[in-house]
Amino acid sequence: MTFKCIIKYIIYLCFPLLSFAQRNIEGRVISGEDRKPLSFANVFISNSTKGQQADDKGRFKLTNVPAGVLDLVVSFVGYETISIKVKADTLRKPLLIMLSPDAIALQGVTVKRLKNGFERYYPLFKEHFLGKTLFSESCVLKNPKALWFSLSDDESELTINADEPLEIENRALGYTIKYDLEEFKYSFSQNYVTYYGFPFFQEMTTKNEKKQQKWHENREKAYFGSPQHFLKSAINHDWANAGYKVYTMYREEKRFFLVPLFPEIKDSLGNIIQHAAKAKKEVDSTDIILSKNSWLHKIPNLKRSPYVQYLHKLPLDENCIFEVRENLPLLNFENYLYVFYEREFEEPQFADLGKKDAPQVSILTLLEPKTLIESTGHLVNPLAVLFEGRWGIEKMGEFLPIDYEPESF
């Protein structure tokens, strides 16, 4: 049995049949090799402000942690960083967590790093990791040189890793973030980004009351209209009051065929009075088929896009996007979700044709059906949903911890 399997087995033993009110996570971190404590190991809840260093005997205790399924992240120099699923209100006894030595370091595995990777690809990383919004402009990556870059053999995919946790200052929201980047991949052929890691938030401090107030206002602005706010309002069946309108979107691949620039015309006796033009034009058969459905409405798309997009004219209600099993809400929908947030206008540089009063629009694709949503509105598996539009460009600039509570929800 591997060390990771042992860890999971130990944790499963800690889940009781009955729930308790406590919301603490405590335990001990030891080496899987000699069972000795790993003094001052780092322990934190991913995407939260809850974390600490273990003491000299490897012991830790996180208090008042968020409800629901959480990612507990444990790391120690020279050992593999692990993330394990825990639910604080069902733990009966302290956890015993065993870390195994870093196998890659032990085996001396090397990956070919690009010598000029930083110069060539850091702007791409910055755009897709920090984001492009106004708040993103206030994000500063303090240790960018920790990044290293590699290409696949056919150079179709870029992979970015880091030798140490990334240190980010979000000066608009008042957080410093330590981000354990597990992997960042960019596909050149599909213009598609995936990345995941384990962020830990710490609140910045200041004696300047105006700055404190500004952080408070910006956090509220970042929260309302966010994916977490949207999903929480869905669970509470409160879309309308929260400012959302949601529609089913159909995205189909364009299929072109050639037709004469102008058609052949015959009189009532069947005589040709106009021959079809020899010149041809392209016609999209998918567009023609969808346009005949009176319930669908075409929406603009980039001319170079290989797809055509239509919305169903009737808006959805909350029951259309999730189902409840054993009192747990599971996100589950077909096609695409097209989400309008009408209480905040899009930044002009992102709005269609630079409109000043355009509502924020996001598109959701479900990559893993029936994914769990916690009562806080966060996804247990954030990689289960692909975000486009507004939510696709926000990134770290609008990123809040899951234990953040707005005052005016």
Side-chain angles (χ1 to χ4, degrees), residues 183-253:
E183 193 171 70
F184 180 105
K185 287 186 177 293
Y186 180 83
S187 170
F188 293 102
S189 58
Q190 300 178 351
N191 191 29
Y192 182 77
V193 173
T194 59
Y195 66 87
Y196 71 98
F198 308 117
F200 174 57
F201 289 77
Q202 293 178 299
E203 293 198 33
M204 299 171 69
T205 58
T206 180
K207 294 182 180 179
N208 187 318
E209 293 184 2
K210 288 186 178 180
K211 183 175 287 187
Q212 288 179 342
Q213 180 61 28
K214 192 62 178 178
W215 285 344
H216 170 76
E217 293 173 358
N218 288 346
R219 290 174 187 177
E220 295 255 318
K221 185 176 181 180
Y223 176 81
F224 290 105
S226 68
Q228 186 177 352
H229 176 231
F230 168 71
L231 292 172
K232 188 172 184 177
S233 69
I235 295 173
N236 295 332
H237 291 81
D238 199 32
W239 273 352
N241 290 329
Y244 294 100
K245 284 187 178 179
V246 185
Y247 298 84
T248 295
M249 188 188 85
Y250 301 90
R251 176 183 285 165
E252 300 290 344
E253 187 175 350

Side-chain angles (χ1 to χ4, degrees), residues 44-51 175-178 199-203 396 399-403:
F44 66 92
I45 302 296
S46 183
N47 292 329
S48 82
T49 60
K50 302 295 182 179
Y175 289 108
T176 59
I177 306 167
K178 287 190 176 180
F200 174 57
F201 289 77
Q202 293 178 299
E203 293 198 33
M396 299 299 295
F399 198 25
L400 291 167
I402 59 175
D403 48 334

Side-chain angles (χ1 to χ4, degrees), residues 230 233-239 246 315-324 329-334 337:
F230 168 71
S233 69
I235 295 173
N236 295 332
H237 291 81
D238 199 32
W239 273 352
V246 185
L316 299 173
D317 65 30
E318 292 86 343
N319 292 321
C320 296
I321 75 160
F322 73 91
E323 57 186 79
V324 178
L330 303 173
L331 191 63
N332 194 31
F333 58 87
E334 297 181 349
L337 288 188

Side-chain angles (χ1 to χ4, degrees), residues 84-121:
I84 48 184
K85 300 289 185 184
V86 296
K87 198 171 183 180
D89 51 7
T90 59
L91 290 174
R92 290 176 58 183
K93 51 184 158 180
L95 304 174
L96 178 62
I97 300 175
M98 290 182 286
L99 298 187
S100 57
D102 191 335
I104 294 177
L106 288 175
Q107 295 169 10
V109 176
T110 59
V111 178
K112 187 176 181 180
R113 303 187 180 196
L114 295 175
K115 292 182 179 180
N116 60 344
F118 186 87
E119 291 74 17
R120 290 174 62 185
Y121 298 118

Side-chain angles (χ1 to χ4, degrees), residues 34-46:
D34 54 18
R35 304 300 193 268
K36 291 183 178 180
L38 295 178
S39 303
F40 312 115
N42 292 306
V43 184
F44 66 92
I45 302 296
S46 183

Side-chain angles (χ1 to χ4, degrees), residues 23-157:
R23 291 262 291 282
N24 302 329
I25 300 174
E26 59 182 306
R28 191 162 173 251
V29 185
I30 64 174
S31 169
E33 283 190 312
D34 54 18
R35 304 300 193 268
K36 291 183 178 180
L38 295 178
S39 303
F40 312 115
N42 292 306
V43 184
F44 66 92
I45 302 296
S46 183
N47 292 329
S48 82
T49 60
K50 302 295 182 179
Q52 63 178 213
Q53 279 192 328
D55 65 16
D56 58 349
K57 295 182 179 179
R59 296 174 302 194
F60 67 90
K61 185 174 182 178
L62 305 180
T63 60
N64 194 28
V65 302
V69 179
L70 306 168
D71 285 314
L72 181 68
V73 182
V74 185
S75 66
F76 190 80
V77 176
Y79 287 75
E80 290 185 353
T81 296
I82 65 166
S83 170
I84 48 184
K85 300 289 185 184
V86 296
K87 198 171 183 180
D89 51 7
T90 59
L91 290 174
R92 290 176 58 183
K93 51 184 158 180
L95 304 174
L96 178 62
I97 300 175
M98 290 182 286
L99 298 187
S100 57
D102 191 335
I104 294 177
L106 288 175
Q107 295 169 10
V109 176
T110 59
V111 178
K112 187 176 181 180
R113 303 187 180 196
L114 295 175
K115 292 182 179 180
N116 60 344
F118 186 87
E119 291 74 17
R120 290 174 62 185
Y121 298 118
Y122 178 67
L124 181 149
F125 175 82
K126 184 178 178 182
E127 175 181 325
H128 292 284
F129 184 72
L130 298 182
K132 298 187 289 185
T133 67
L134 291 177
F135 287 170
S136 297
E137 293 177 4
S138 296
C139 281
V140 178
L141 180 57
K142 304 293 286 184
N143 57 338
K145 291 297 185 177
L147 297 168
W148 55 272
F149 306 76
S150 62
L151 287 172
S152 59
D153 290 339
D154 62 358
E155 298 189 352
S156 65
E157 186 175 72

